Amino acid sequence: MMISTQLFAVLIVFVMHLSNAQFGLPKQKVGEVQVDADGTVGENMAGVSLALVNLLSKAEKEAGGALKLSQKDVLAIDGLIKHAVEDPETKILIQKMKVMQRDVIEETIGETTPLKIINNLKAVLEELMALEILFEDKDRAFRAMEKDGMIDKKRIPEYRKNPGLLEEDTRRSLYFSFISMAVVGR
């Protein structure tokens, strides 16, 4: 599966700024969740990164206070982002992206709003979770994806022989899409 240059650019931008912190912020309300200055969100959201909290605050303002994101969604998004930041392969990828896709990243940042970023992060998260169900029967998943035209025609024979590879590639592609969007969010 081919990943667009724009999504690749998104990854770099978010991770570049994960280490930047802001202190002394007043408490803010994000949807139905209380946001504290230390970057935590509500009692059940301890440890959510300040970068994500800031993005959520901006998205909520853009949505006019009607941001539809559960605590479970916030924790899942934050967990995936933290995993990516700690993953050595993702770090290398991000460094390469910073050099090779700099212009695309800057252009994407200028065109994307916080609400779009949050909505896209949630959509990709939901797709990642749906993979668990879809690939319970790998052969059936292959047939369904082939029927829907979701598989590159050049790779059909390979995936037909090894539907597990299709699952791996699909998961990697969605993970990359998620991380790319997270990068733009930074």
Side-chain angles (χ1 to χ4, degrees):
M1 301 195 145
M2 183 149 229
I3 300 171
S4 74
T5 305
Q6 187 175 17
L7 288 176
F8 186 71
V10 175
L11 174 62
I12 292 176
V13 178
F14 187 74
V15 178
M16 286 187 322
H17 298 284
L18 281 178
S19 61
N20 295 342
Q22 298 177 13
F23 300 97
L25 296 173
K27 287 187 176 185
Q28 306 171 27
K29 197 90 160 129
V30 176
E32 298 178 3
V33 180
Q34 184 71 35
V35 178
D36 297 326
D38 65 357
T40 60
V41 183
E43 293 176 18
N44 298 324
M45 309 280 277
V48 173
S49 72
L50 184 58
L52 182 56
V53 170
N54 288 336
L55 182 62
L56 289 167
S57 294
K58 291 175 186 175
E60 185 189 30
K61 287 177 187 171
E62 185 182 343
L67 186 62
K68 297 193 189 295
L69 201 64
S70 72
Q71 288 181 344
K72 182 179 175 182
D73 292 335
V74 172
L75 290 173
I77 289 169
D78 191 59
L80 276 173
I81 291 169
K82 286 177 179 175
H83 175 279
V85 171
E86 295 169 4
D87 178 57
E89 290 179 21
T90 304
K91 285 181 182 180
I92 292 169
L93 176 66
I94 292 167
Q95 292 303 317
K96 289 180 181 179
M97 287 172 53
K98 287 179 184 179
V99 174
M100 298 169 56
Q101 300 293 325
R102 185 174 174 206
D103 294 339
V104 175
I105 294 168
E106 290 174 7
E107 182 181 329
T108 303
I109 290 171
E111 296 173 355
T112 306
T113 68
L115 183 58
K116 286 180 185 177
I117 293 166
I118 291 296
N119 287 338
N120 285 332
L121 287 172
K122 183 178 179 188
V124 174
L125 178 67
E126 289 169 353
E127 289 179 34
L128 280 166
M129 291 195 271
L131 282 182
E132 299 301 320
I133 296 166
L134 177 64
F135 281 97
E136 284 178 353
D137 179 341
K138 292 175 181 20
D139 291 319
R140 187 188 84 221
F142 166 77
R143 289 189 304 273
M145 290 178 74
E146 181 184 28
K147 180 181 176 188
D148 290 343
M150 298 173 67
I151 301 175
D152 181 353
K153 292 181 194 260
K154 295 175 188 172
R155 307 242 10 226
I156 288 175
E158 181 180 12
Y159 290 144
R160 183 174 282 123
K161 289 179 187 174
N162 185 359
L165 180 60
L166 174 61
E167 178 183 12
E168 286 177 34
D169 288 350
T170 303
R171 191 173 305 283
R172 263 191 235 120
S173 178
L174 286 173
Y175 176 74
F176 184 79
S177 295
F178 179 91
I179 298 304
S180 297
M181 189 51 58
V183 168
V184 169
R186 293 297 293 145

